[in-house]
């Protein structure tokens, strides 16, 4: 009797293993059927048709559902990361091209300050979007590594994978932060150049006005001197 129970239990657990394998392959309906057969077999072997152990059966089935859901989440996350990794390089090249175009506009001294500053602002927006896109992928990698490690916490390879995923996230933040610093430095530089240019225009205008006043005052003084001299000559002629 005991041998029969053991054989039945082992067989039931074997079906559960097959069910998990089906889930990992994406065959969810077949997995559900196998899981159901597995726990029905274990129940029959352990308690027969007696329902007094219904709580045991319920807990066991809940555990099976949790295992199946875990496997589904793992497959989904793996697929999302795989697809995102395939798109990452393409996204990086696209963002790099867009950013370089804005840098060239920003550094073109033949353009107005307004145009150059607008390009630098656009560059900042591109960097923000790039960070958001790459951060989403990096976070998925961290989530995937953490999920895989949660069921096998002593696995060194899985621990290393989680550390690597977190390091990649930190590297991303450092890289984009560096690019943002360059963009902000250039923004401050452009604003200073613009302010200096405006001040130079004001100074030049003030100098022109001042020079014009000096020339006007000089002309007035010369005219006044000539008028005085003319009057003196006329008086001298009148005396003679």
């Amino acid at each position: 009797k005991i041998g029969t129970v053991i054989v039945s239990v082992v067989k039931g657990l074997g079906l559960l293993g097959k069910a998990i394998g089906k889930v990992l392959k994406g065959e969810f309906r077949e997995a559900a059927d196998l899981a159901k057969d597995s726990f029905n077999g274990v129940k029959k072997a352990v308690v027969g048709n007696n329902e007094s152990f219904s709580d045991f059966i319920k807990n066991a089935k809940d555990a099976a559902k949790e295992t199946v859901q875990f496997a589904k989440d793992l497959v989904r996350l793996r697929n999302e990361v795989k697809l995102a990794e395939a798109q990452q390089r393409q996204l990086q090249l696209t963002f790099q091209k867009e950013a370089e175009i804005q840098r060239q506009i920003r550094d073109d001294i033949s353009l107005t300050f307004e145009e150059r500053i607008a390009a630098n602002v656009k560059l900042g927006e591109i960097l923000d979007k790039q960070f958001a896109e790459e951060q989403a992928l990096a976070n998925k990698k961290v989530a995937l590594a953490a999920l895989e490690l949660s069921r096998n916490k002593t696995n060194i390879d899985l621990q290393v994978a989680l550390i690597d995923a977190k390091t990649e996230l930190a590297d991303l933040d450092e890289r984009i932060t560096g690019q943002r610093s360059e963009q902000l430095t250039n923004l401050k530089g452009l604003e200073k150049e613009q302010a200096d240019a405006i001040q130079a225009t004001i100074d030049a205008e003030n100098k022109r006005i001042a020079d014009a006043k000096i020339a006007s005052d000089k002309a007035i003084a010369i005219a006044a001197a000539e008028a005085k001299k003319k009057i003196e000559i006329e008086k001298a002629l009148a005396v003679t």
Side-chain angles (χ1 to χ4, degrees):
K1 174 66 175 177
I2 295 177
T4 302
V5 169
I6 293 174
V7 170
S8 298
V9 170
V10 171
K11 183 178 179 181
L13 294 177
L15 289 174
L16 179 59
K18 291 181 180 180
I20 294 174
K22 291 288 186 180
V23 170
L24 293 175
K25 293 179 181 179
E27 299 172 0
F28 301 119
R29 177 171 294 181
E30 293 86 344
D33 292 339
L34 285 172
K36 181 178 178 181
D37 291 342
S38 166
F39 280 94
N40 284 338
V42 172
K43 175 187 174 183
K44 183 176 181 180
V46 176
V47 299
N49 295 321
N50 191 338
E51 295 298 327
S52 62
F53 292 96
S54 59
D55 288 342
F56 165 76
I57 298 301
K58 180 179 182 300
N59 291 336
K61 287 188 175 182
D62 288 343
K65 290 179 181 178
E66 181 182 345
T67 300
V68 171
Q69 185 59 49
F70 172 84
K72 286 182 178 180
D73 291 341
L74 189 60
V75 170
R76 173 185 56 77
L77 199 52
R78 280 175 178 170
N79 289 337
E80 288 179 0
V81 169
K82 185 183 295 185
L83 180 60
E85 284 180 331
Q87 296 172 336
Q88 183 179 25
R89 183 56 181 164
Q90 183 180 9
L91 282 173
Q92 285 181 339
L93 292 175
T94 299
F95 284 126
Q96 287 173 6
K97 180 179 179 181
E98 291 178 353
E100 183 57 29
I101 290 173
Q102 297 306 316
R103 288 191 183 96
Q104 290 176 7
I105 295 174
R106 178 197 65 193
D107 297 337
D108 187 348
I109 60 175
S110 69
L111 299 176
T112 65
F113 283 110
E114 288 76 12
E115 290 172 323
R116 295 173 66 192
I117 289 175
N120 200 58
V121 171
K122 179 67 174 177
L123 173 60
E125 294 172 355
I126 292 171
L127 293 177
D128 288 342
K129 186 176 180 181
Q130 179 180 3
F131 178 74
E133 293 279 356
E134 293 194 44
Q135 185 186 46
L137 170 58
N139 283 333
K140 283 184 179 180
K141 288 183 178 180
V142 171
L144 174 60
L147 185 62
E148 291 183 322
L149 182 62
S150 67
R151 289 299 178 95
N152 192 2
K153 295 182 179 181
T154 60
N155 187 296
I156 297 299
D157 289 337
L158 294 179
Q159 292 177 28
V160 170
L162 179 58
I163 293 171
D164 287 344
K166 291 181 177 180
T167 301
E168 183 177 339
L169 183 60
D171 287 343
L172 168 65
D173 184 60
E174 182 179 357
R175 172 165 56 86
I176 299 298
T177 297
Q179 293 178 359
R180 281 201 187 108
S181 296
E182 182 266 348
Q183 180 257 340
L184 291 173
T185 298
N186 275 277
L187 178 60
K188 296 298 182 184
L190 281 170
E191 289 175 341
K192 185 178 185 305
E193 284 184 46
Q194 185 182 38
D196 290 345
I198 291 173
Q199 188 59 52
T201 301
I202 293 172
D203 292 343
E205 180 63 16
N206 289 338
K207 185 176 184 304
R208 185 191 67 78
I209 293 172
D211 289 345
K213 186 177 184 305
I214 291 172
S216 176
D217 291 345
K218 184 176 180 180
I220 291 172
I222 292 173
E226 289 179 348
K228 183 179 179 182
K229 184 176 180 180
K230 182 179 179 181
I231 292 172
E232 290 176 349
I233 292 173
E234 290 175 348
K235 285 181 179 180
L237 291 175
V239 173
T240 58

